[in-house]
Amino acid sequence: MEQSALRNVAPPRHAHRFFAYVTVVVGAGAMLLIGSLPDGFPASLPAAFWVLAGCAVVADTKPFVQVGRDDAMMTFPSVCFTFAIMLAFGFAPAALVQLAAVAITAGWLQHTVWRAAFNAAQYFVSFAVADVILHRSHHVGWIVVAAVAWFVVNNLLVSTAVWLRFGHGWRARFVRAVRTDALATGALLLSAPGLVAAAGVDVLLIPLALVTLYAVRRMTSLSAQRALEARRDPLTGLANRKGLERAVEQRLEEHAERAANRQAARRLALLLLDLDGFKQVNDSLGHPVGDRLLIEVSRRLSERADAEVGRLGGDEFAIVVPHLQDVAEARAHAAKIMDALREPVLLDGLPIDVGGSVGVAVYPEHGTGFEELMQHADVAMYDAKGRGDNLAVYAPEADHNSPERLSLLADLRKALETPGDRGIALYYQPQVELATGDVVGLEALLRWHHPQRGLVDPEELIKVAEHSSVMRLLTFRLIDDAIEQLAAWGDRAGRVRVAVNVSVRDLHTGEIADRIEAKLRQAGIEPARLELEITESALMADPRRVLATLARLERLGIAIALDDFGTGYSSMLHLRRLPLKEVKIDRSFVLGVATDPDDAAIVRSMIDLARALGLRIVAEGVEDERTWRMLVEAGCDLAQGWYFARPMPPDGLLDWLIRHRRSTVAHST
């Protein structure tokens, strides 16, 4: 048995300690062998010995690989024959035969001299310990104890060598080696008494063990193949998440070793790539074409990346880039990868544009392990999408995943998945038609009363959820609640429409349209009673995906409003191609209408632009009469804000609507 990680290359980490250890083990093994030869080697040996010795040498010409949960290691079948030789003929013959097997294996696998010497010595020490135990008795119980002692000592010696070579915890190394090696090597050792018994019957029975070893080798080969497949994506052949994690761990070991040897510091980058428009390809051309697109993208990435490329699932890829000098080089490498996707992919004569966003996280600046690097690369990728860019390097200020926020996210998920939890609720703020004073719409605003923290700030809550799968649960909950509330109000609230905010993640697929269509049909609510608000930043993050979903929602009869108008990157082109019914002027401009001439001019320009495009205009943040009058004069259609009403729970809203209608009727008469 031998750890595959015990490499030929030098210098290792802490070279003086490592080679000092190797020298001690080799010296101890040599002394044990030399000391045993004068009295421990029989003058003549029977045919059974020579058959066992021949089988030991033949068996090691092709060792087999065991693949554990964390690592792979080589197992040498000769030990079953050499342990049998020790049982029958003593330590010295077993050690010499094992030495011959190691020499054959070293030549076959091109091991260095020091490595071959260490391998032989580890066996000598293991056999010596087992032989001491067997001097007490050859009863089957003591044979088992001797086999266990051989196994433990052998793994102790090798695990210590690997630990000195690579570091990262001796105990973990030893436990991992024992866990991986116990079944195979244990079975080989415990088969030795059977070989001794077979030799007593007929020496020709001994070679039959080679047939068993061949079957074991085949099974381990299949197991190794399955383990490899478990770390590979079946469609593209790239590493999957598990394979990428292993690749990162191995690279980090190399980087740590360089640092320990005071070599020039190197960086490792983890790049996370999310493709644009992949679902539209699947929906319009079918999944087989989508699969071919992924295969072509994986080929391009592998050719251009010159690094470990993996597919995380769907249209997400990750690239591990080692040996970089700095963060700037990591960014340049990411840009080179994006260049690989600039040319359309030609499938069945149809050119398909492929784009995406890349997030970059660099070791050690942005993380010291796979999970941390992956999390920060994901943050960077969504930061790129949020800024309308295709590439971003992780920046702490863009990360909203502090431990406190992660705890809050877990609590939010629990609340959303708990039936009957009423901590999450919608409050409604009226939207008033400025020309008539009538309430024609309501904006649904999220409120969450946390059991321990009390009322959670809605903006903080959205920041926590928007880059996670919890955002989908939250959006579906809010849509369901808004539609159910419309049904519960019936005619008492009039024919007001309710606007619900959705995020860019909600618009990446058509799932939200399916959900809304089914819920409206179930509740018997007209689609025109529901409105969805999107932000400019959401639109710019992934316009192709967003537009496809918005077009479907429009076909259903759902009105789309552009929220926070003026704070993002809108242009005439974007406004023209969006299926919009309404734009909402951000409150940051509205608040200054009555006091700041610049804000007043900006708001008038926005109103004129929206009116020219045939869009309804809503002003947010109206808090005084003067602002209201100036908006009326500017031709604004609707307004909401504390001047009219604060957000209210559903029951409070009904009471307010009744009072407001009476007041409106009184003023009109």
Side-chain angles (χ1 to χ4, degrees), residues 471-511:
M471 192 66 212
R472 170 182 170 274
L473 299 176
L474 181 59
T475 298
F476 286 176
R477 170 71 173 269
L478 300 185
I479 288 173
D480 290 353
D481 285 358
I483 294 174
E484 290 172 2
Q485 190 58 63
L486 282 171
W489 280 331
D491 295 334
R492 292 177 295 169
R495 294 193 53 78
V496 295
R497 61 180 174 273
V498 172
V500 179
N501 288 275
V502 295
S503 76
V504 62
R505 289 179 71 102
D506 303 320
L507 301 172
H508 274 180
T509 71
E511 189 178 10

Side-chain angles (χ1 to χ4, degrees), residues 70-71 171-181 246:
D70 304 305
D71 209 345
R171 183 177 180 276
R173 292 280 184 189
F174 177 69
V175 171
R176 188 164 60 190
V178 169
R179 185 172 56 215
T180 303
D181 192 40
R246 182 60 186 151

Side-chain angles (χ1 to χ4, degrees), residues 279-280 479 500-514 516 530-563 574-582:
K279 185 179 187 302
Q280 283 67 42
I479 288 173
V500 179
N501 288 275
V502 295
S503 76
V504 62
R505 289 179 71 102
D506 303 320
L507 301 172
H508 274 180
T509 71
E511 189 178 10
I512 189 172
D514 296 335
I516 290 173
L530 183 66
E531 182 177 69
L532 299 184
E533 294 185 4
I534 64 170
T535 62
E536 292 185 70
S537 58
L539 167 66
M540 293 301 297
D542 203 345
R544 284 185 288 182
R545 287 188 182 185
V546 170
L547 283 172
T549 303
L550 293 182
R552 185 177 172 196
L553 290 167
E554 183 192 32
R555 290 194 296 271
L556 291 176
I558 309 297
I560 307 297
L562 185 63
D563 197 12
H574 293 129
L575 292 176
R576 285 178 58 195
R577 67 178 180 173
L578 280 172
L580 295 176
K581 296 293 184 184
E582 177 180 289

Side-chain angles (χ1 to χ4, degrees), residues 93-293:
L96 287 174
V97 172
Q98 191 68 68
L99 178 62
V102 168
I104 295 295
T105 301
W108 188 266
L109 298 179
Q110 297 182 333
H111 288 169
T112 58
V113 174
W114 67 261
R115 183 175 181 180
F118 177 84
N119 289 342
Q122 79 186 54
Y123 287 124
F124 296 165
V125 175
S126 302
F127 278 122
V129 173
D131 188 55
V132 170
I133 296 173
L134 289 172
H135 272 96
R136 298 179 61 90
S137 172
H138 272 61
H139 186 273
V140 64
W142 286 108
I143 292 176
V144 172
V145 172
V148 171
W150 187 102
F151 175 81
V152 171
V153 170
N154 198 53
N155 274 285
L156 281 172
L157 293 172
V158 176
S159 297
T160 302
V162 175
W163 169 64
L164 290 173
R165 175 66 176 79
F166 298 108
H168 296 292
W170 178 87
R171 183 177 180 276
R173 292 280 184 189
F174 177 69
V175 171
R176 188 164 60 190
V178 169
R179 185 172 56 215
T180 303
D181 192 40
L183 182 60
T185 300
L188 290 171
L189 291 170
L190 294 178
S191 66
L195 290 174
V196 175
V201 177
D202 190 335
V203 294
L204 295 180
L205 292 175
I206 297 173
L208 294 179
L210 294 175
V211 178
T212 302
L213 290 178
Y214 174 78
V216 172
R217 183 181 293 116
R218 285 288 298 164
M219 287 187 290
T220 54
S221 175
L222 292 173
S223 175
Q225 183 178 351
R226 285 195 296 269
L228 178 62
E229 291 172 351
R231 295 175 181 174
R232 292 283 161 184
D233 172 50
L235 175 64
T236 63
L238 300 176
N240 59 14
R241 185 183 181 92
K242 185 176 181 181
L244 282 168
E245 182 174 4
R246 182 60 186 151
V248 170
E249 289 174 352
Q250 290 174 336
R251 294 296 187 180
L252 291 183
E253 284 183 352
E254 295 176 11
H255 283 261
E257 184 177 330
R258 290 181 63 89
N261 289 327
R262 298 181 181 179
Q263 294 175 301
R266 291 284 182 173
R267 268 69 176 167
L268 176 142
L270 182 63
L271 316 180
L272 194 60
L273 167 66
D274 181 70
L275 299 180
D276 291 338
F278 178 67
K279 185 179 187 302
Q280 283 67 42
V281 174
N282 271 343
D283 291 344
S284 57
L285 301 178
H287 287 277
V289 175
D291 289 346
R292 289 168 57 195
L293 176 63

Side-chain angles (χ1 to χ4, degrees), residues 420-624:
D421 188 293
R422 305 311 301 173
I424 297 173
L426 285 178
Y427 276 45
Y428 297 87
Q429 186 171 38
Q431 295 175 340
V432 177
E433 190 172 51
L434 295 180
T436 64
D438 294 335
V439 176
V440 295
L442 305 168
E443 181 177 5
L445 299 170
L446 173 64
R447 296 291 184 269
W448 182 30
H449 195 278
H450 190 278
Q452 285 78 41
R453 308 184 191 205
L455 192 62
V456 179
D457 178 38
E459 289 188 9
E460 176 73 10
L461 186 58
I462 295 301
K463 286 180 180 179
V464 167
E466 64 182 347
H467 294 307
S468 74
S469 59
V470 177
M471 192 66 212
R472 170 182 170 274
L473 299 176
L474 181 59
T475 298
F476 286 176
R477 170 71 173 269
L478 300 185
I479 288 173
D480 290 353
D481 285 358
I483 294 174
E484 290 172 2
Q485 190 58 63
L486 282 171
W489 280 331
D491 295 334
R492 292 177 295 169
R495 294 193 53 78
V496 295
R497 61 180 174 273
V498 172
V500 179
N501 288 275
V502 295
S503 76
V504 62
R505 289 179 71 102
D506 303 320
L507 301 172
H508 274 180
T509 71
E511 189 178 10
I512 189 172
D514 296 335
R515 180 81 170 211
I516 290 173
E517 184 178 16
K519 195 67 180 179
L520 288 172
R521 187 185 304 112
Q522 178 186 352
I525 300 298
E526 298 176 26
R529 300 281 303 281
L530 183 66
E531 182 177 69
L532 299 184
E533 294 185 4
I534 64 170
T535 62
E536 292 185 70
S537 58
L539 167 66
M540 293 301 297
D542 203 345
R544 284 185 288 182
R545 287 188 182 185
V546 170
L547 283 172
T549 303
L550 293 182
R552 185 177 172 196
L553 290 167
E554 183 192 32
R555 290 194 296 271
L556 291 176
I558 309 297
I560 307 297
L562 185 63
D563 197 12
D564 300 336
F565 184 49
T567 61
Y569 311 93
S570 288
S571 67
M572 289 290 291
L573 176 62
H574 293 129
L575 292 176
R576 285 178 58 195
R577 67 178 180 173
L578 280 172
L580 295 176
K581 296 293 184 184
E582 177 180 289
V583 293
K584 302 186 71 175
I585 303 175
D586 188 68
R587 69 191 312 270
S588 62
F589 298 108
V590 175
L591 289 173
V593 163
T595 57
D596 190 327
D598 291 337
D599 283 347
I602 291 172
V603 169
R604 289 192 183 94
S605 298
M606 291 179 183
I607 293 172
D608 292 340
L609 174 59
R611 189 171 296 281
L613 294 171
L615 301 175
R616 186 170 58 234
I617 309 108
V618 181
E620 297 181 299
V622 179
E623 297 187 357
D624 55 61

